[in-house]
Amino acid sequence: MGNSYDIRDWIDKRIKPEQINKYISKGNGFINIQKINAKLSEKKSSDPKKIKDILSKSIEIKTLSLEETACLLNVQDESLIDQMRQAALKVKKKVYDNRIVTFAPLYLGNFCVNDCLYCGFRKSNLEAQRKVLNMDEVGKETEVLAGRIGHKRLIAVYGEHPLNDIDYILKSLGQIYKVKVPARKGFGQIRRVNVNAPVFSIEELKGLKAAGIGTYQVFQETYHEPTYSKIHPQGTIKSDYLWRLYCMHRAFEAGIDDVGLGVLFGLYDWKYEVMSLCAHNIELEEKFSIGAHTISFPRLEPAQNSPFTAKSGFKVEDEDFKKIMLVIRLSLPHSGMIITARESASMRRDSLALGITQTDASTRIGIGAYSEQDCSQDIGRQQFILGDTRSLDEIIREFSQLGYITSFCTAGYRCGRTGKCIMDLLRSGQEGKFCKLNAVLTFREWLDDFASEETKKAGEIIIKKELAEIENKLPEFYPKLVEYYKKISEGGRDLYF
Ligand code: SAM
Ligand code: SF4
């Protein structure tokens, strides 16, 4: 499909209003601008007793109400902010302990029929070098990621275009899962592919579910409809705010129970956006009993032929960005939080104490860039310029030195611990014990297969500490863990609880 008539026809058939009408009353979705603004202006004073009560609720791993989130967003007092930081650490420790998950983005195609004013892939960017990876190239990219770097998780990223439509996406997922590369002791393999893709119909989402995706991730970009309409030109698929807003409702209807929400910070007022993200999570919890598995909060970066990125008027400064992470950690205590290589190394380091649970490493966002020698960041081929291009090995070394264990565990979704089940386990702290055991086993695999000598040294210290802690705190699991650990040290792979 290539000529403009065919493409217009394809675009016109994408949106299926009958799949969302039942959720919409009088043309309005679940985000109410007036109500959110009213809550933000009502909850200006920060009574220390009230803040203390809110923080206790977070520490009990309960989702905060919008009023409570508004209170936290409005806190200015440094000593209260300090209490918020301490509470965020407690939440993180309780749900995720000292584990951190790593992944890599894999950009498969940058053709796009949309024209989002902030994105280098927009159709009006005539200088973009457009490419969709063929299956052979998808295999080569995966071989580098899984076989040379040692990633076990990817987020596959796609533009919206007939050349990378749902059939292409399903084929590419199959190709990624097929790759198996010998490594030093075992083998490299991608065990979980999350997807950051356009919004789909229920039928297409059923296909994604059947392909074995991990998290289905879509960012609303902005929940402020007037701003949304300004930056997504009329006539494009993405200009339909409600079709996008209800994409996760359709995902749940299609049987996907692991979803990732996000906002592109810098398009509109950040406090409004945090409130709306939380409102989206509450809506999903109310309707489907499952909240967001992960939250992403990319900040707007400069992009080729996208001058809007420099003049949105809502740039988020570093201190406010840290407050965003802090409030999300406290408001949505069970959700994973993802910071990406868009941010600098020092911001990523600081974010660890604010409750981050996942980050990417060895990141390249040019189409086909992992299997090329040239690692220059050519803006014509990628969406924006990265802030931190350190390798997975370097990042893991740093995490180890800071006392974090990197987990490559992908067991949860492969043995049915997803959706409501995982939410309940996370809330009760039960999932933690499986995660702790699997973190040790998968980290052992990675150290043996991929670590440099220097990183291995730092990693061994952490792993020893974790083993001792498990023997002490989870004695009932220790003998089985030792059995698996020994098998893995001898080259066995993919053993998990
Ligand atoms: N095409 C799909 C979509 O729009 O949802 C998925 C891929 S798109 C490349 C992934 C995300 O990149 C978008 O949801 C947006 O939040 C983010 N993005 C786009 N332009 C950006 C920029 N200039 N800086 C930072 N993030 C950006
Ligand atoms: Fe296309 Fe997504 Fe970029 Fe918009 S953000 S232009 S939909 S790739």
Side-chain angles (χ1 to χ4, degrees):
M1 193 184 312
N3 69 50
S4 56
Y5 172 77
D6 289 341
I7 291 180
R8 188 67 250 172
D9 194 41
W10 185 82
I11 292 171
D12 290 343
K13 290 191 181 128
R14 298 289 311 143
I15 297 174
K16 299 186 165 41
E18 67 281 8
Q19 296 193 351
I20 59 169
N21 283 344
K22 64 181 166 202
Y23 295 117
I24 296 164
S25 107
K26 298 189 192 131
N28 293 316
F30 57 83
I31 295 289
N32 183 316
I33 298 180
Q34 285 74 27
K35 276 195 187 153
I36 288 176
N37 284 336
K39 286 190 171 56
L40 274 171
S41 48
E42 273 161 24
K43 303 289 169 193
K44 278 264 187 282
S45 70
S46 29
D47 166 21
K49 159 88 176 67
K50 170 96 185 142
I51 299 296
K52 199 164 167 249
D53 290 346
I54 297 173
L55 297 182
S56 304
K57 185 173 168 188
S58 281
I59 294 168
E60 285 170 35
I61 318 299
K62 290 188 178 140
T63 306
L64 297 186
S65 68
L66 288 186
E67 288 77 12
E68 289 161 339
T69 298
C71 287
L72 296 185
L73 283 166
N74 284 327
V75 170
Q76 298 281 355
D77 182 296
E78 212 19 72
S79 73
L80 289 180
I81 292 186
D82 205 47
Q83 287 178 33
M84 285 166 66
R85 285 195 202 105
Q86 288 169 29
L89 271 182
K90 283 189 187 148
V91 170
K92 164 96 188 284
K93 174 101 184 117
K94 205 163 172 181
V95 183
Y96 295 96
D97 200 1
N98 60 338
R99 291 181 300 278
I100 183 120
V101 163
T102 51
F103 66 94
L106 175 58
Y107 279 66
L108 287 99
N110 62 352
F111 280 89
C112 196
V113 294
N114 294 314
D115 210 8
C116 315
L117 297 194
Y118 46 83
C119 178
F121 294 170
R122 59 199 288 250
K123 69 174 180 196
S124 305
N125 179 9
L126 301 179
E127 286 176 288
Q129 296 159 38
R130 308 274 172 184
K131 184 168 168 65
V132 180
L133 298 180
N134 63 35
M135 290 309 128
D136 197 35
E137 291 165 329
V138 172
K140 288 205 173 93
E141 291 283 276
T142 311
E143 278 169 23
V144 176
L145 286 159
R148 211 182 298 155
I149 302 170
H151 279 294
K152 301 277 184 266
R153 286 176 183 240
L154 298 184
I155 175 113
V157 186
Y158 307 84
E160 184 160 26
H161 194 278
L163 290 173
N164 37 237
D165 63 1
I166 188 73
D167 292 336
Y168 170 87
I169 292 175
L170 298 182
K171 231 165 111 188
S172 62
L173 293 171
Q175 184 74 2
I176 293 169
Y177 279 131
K178 239 176 20 202
V179 171
K180 199 167 170 180
V181 195
R184 269 186 229 142
K185 268 193 181 177
F187 55 87
Q189 190 180 32
I190 298 300
R191 296 177 184 156
R192 177 178 175 120
V193 188
N194 301 328
V195 168
N196 184 307
V199 302
F200 294 113
S201 66
I202 294 173
E203 297 73 30
E204 291 167 328
L205 288 160
K206 284 183 180 165
L208 273 187
K209 165 83 183 163
I213 58 162
T215 307
Y216 175 50
Q217 186 187 71
V218 173
F219 308 153
Q220 184 61 27
E221 319 299 9
T222 172
Y223 287 93
H224 187 250
E225 195 172 350
T227 304
Y228 189 94
S229 301
K230 255 193 336 218
I231 57 183
H232 299 105
Q234 285 306 301
T236 59
I237 305 168
K238 196 151 163 184
S239 69
D240 195 316
Y241 170 83
L242 291 174
W243 180 241
R244 192 166 182 92
L245 189 64
Y246 283 91
C247 69
M248 295 314 181
H249 289 61
R250 298 194 297 282
F252 281 117
E253 282 193 43
I256 293 176
D257 59 4
D258 184 330
V259 302
L261 305 181
V263 157
L264 181 51
F265 280 95
L267 299 175
Y268 187 63
D269 175 64
W270 61 269
K271 288 189 184 177
Y272 173 88
E273 301 287 20
V274 172
M275 290 286 285
S276 304
L277 253 179
C278 294
H280 196 167
N281 181 74
I282 289 171
E283 161 80 8
L284 296 178
E285 284 188 358
E286 279 174 5
K287 290 249 162 38
F288 305 100
S289 312
I290 304 170
H293 184 192
T294 56
I295 303 286
S296 301
F297 25 84
R299 275 196 285 185
L300 190 60
E301 297 288 335
Q304 188 183 41
N305 289 326
S306 308
F308 174 80
T309 53
K311 54 175 194 205
S312 78
F314 290 100
K315 184 172 190 287
V316 176
E317 300 300 340
D318 285 357
E319 281 315 300
D320 290 337
F321 187 58
K322 288 181 193 168
K323 181 106 177 261
I324 289 171
M325 292 190 264
L326 190 54
V327 175
I328 292 177
R329 175 67 298 142
L330 293 163
S331 295
L332 306 174
H334 54 271
S335 295
M337 288 173 59
I338 304 177
I339 191 163
T340 69
R342 289 175 178 88
E343 299 297 336
S344 66
S346 79
M347 179 56 82
R348 295 220 281 180
R349 213 167 287 129
D350 290 350
S351 75
L352 289 170
L354 298 167
I356 289 299
T357 59
Q358 293 195 26
T359 193
D360 52 341
S362 289
T363 303
R364 292 199 191 175
I365 57 175
I367 319 291
Y370 289 108
S371 37
E372 286 168 5
Q373 293 304 319
D374 175 17
C375 51
S376 62
Q377 292 201 53
D378 179 354
I379 191 70
R381 285 179 46 218
Q382 59 186 49
Q383 211 188 353
F384 43 78
I385 299 294
L386 296 170
D388 182 6
T389 52
R390 282 176 301 161
S391 69
L392 181 62
D393 189 79
E394 286 171 277
I395 287 194
I396 289 183
R397 192 183 320 142
E398 178 174 285
F399 287 157
S400 303
Q401 286 157 351
L402 293 170
Y404 292 89
I405 180 164
T406 306
S407 175
F408 291 91
C409 171
T410 54
Y413 95 107
R414 292 193 289 157
C415 50
R417 292 199 297 270
T418 61
K420 178 143 172 38
C421 169
I422 185 100
M423 289 290 157
D424 292 344
L425 287 169
L426 286 171
R427 280 197 187 97
S428 64
Q430 290 295 308
E431 177 66 1
K433 62 183 175 214
F434 297 119
C435 300
K436 196 168 182 64
L437 301 162
N438 291 331
V440 168
L441 296 176
T442 54
F443 193 43
R444 178 75 269 153
E445 288 186 0
W446 188 84
L447 286 178
D448 287 348
D449 283 343
F450 300 102
S452 66
E453 276 312 307
E454 210 183 337
T455 300
K456 203 164 176 190
K457 249 189 247 159
E460 297 294 355
I461 297 172
I462 286 291
I463 227 167
K464 217 167 137 197
K465 202 174 127 264
E466 293 293 312
L467 283 168
E469 206 178 310
I470 292 169
E471 184 177 18
N472 189 19
K473 291 193 185 152
L474 297 170
E476 68 280 25
F477 290 101
Y478 191 68
K480 189 91 188 156
L481 176 75
V482 171
E483 182 196 324
Y484 282 2
Y485 189 84
K486 193 161 169 286
K487 281 190 184 150
I488 287 174
S489 306
E490 290 160 4
R493 289 291 171 268
D494 210 11
L495 297 160
Y496 53 84
F497 287 86

